[in-house]
Amino acid sequence: ERIDKFGISCDYQPGYMYAAVKPSHEAFLRDMLDSWQSFGYTGARWLGPQETRQLVDCPYYRGGIHDLENGHLHPLNYAFGLADAAV
């Protein structure tokens, strides 16, 4: 909302992918997702290998968490935009 409100150009991209390469990564991520869900967080879901490859073209990923309520941005440009908004 703040990015839109103040017109901050920070290359925001919605969504975040936590991908598992090894079985131990997969177990860790599944536990992490279970923990989030136990606290009522519903913005993320588990993706299998094929669904993961549709988002990230890498044959090594075993699956992962796709978090749609998260995202990426350019942190320095975001900070500059906040500074401009404050002024």
Side-chain angles (χ1 to χ4, degrees), residues 4-83:
D4 291 336
K5 180 178 180 179
F6 296 109
I8 300 173
S9 179
C10 59
D11 303 320
Y12 177 73
Q13 296 294 316
Y16 194 87
M17 184 74 198
Y18 300 85
V21 178
K22 301 190 297 189
S24 61
H25 297 162
E26 184 177 351
F28 175 82
L29 290 175
R30 284 183 181 271
D31 287 345
M32 187 167 77
L33 181 58
D34 287 344
S35 174
W36 293 355
Q37 291 173 338
S38 74
F39 288 102
Y41 184 68
T42 60
R45 67 185 188 100
W46 183 261
L47 300 182
Q50 292 174 322
E51 289 176 296
T52 300
R53 286 189 196 118
Q54 289 175 353
L55 293 176
V56 182
D57 188 18
C58 179
Y60 302 109
Y61 291 146
R62 303 173 53 89
I65 300 170
H66 188 214
D67 185 354
L68 291 172
E69 292 187 21
N70 208 325
H72 304 270
L73 54 76
H74 190 290
L76 184 59
N77 289 348
Y78 181 67
F80 285 149
L82 289 178

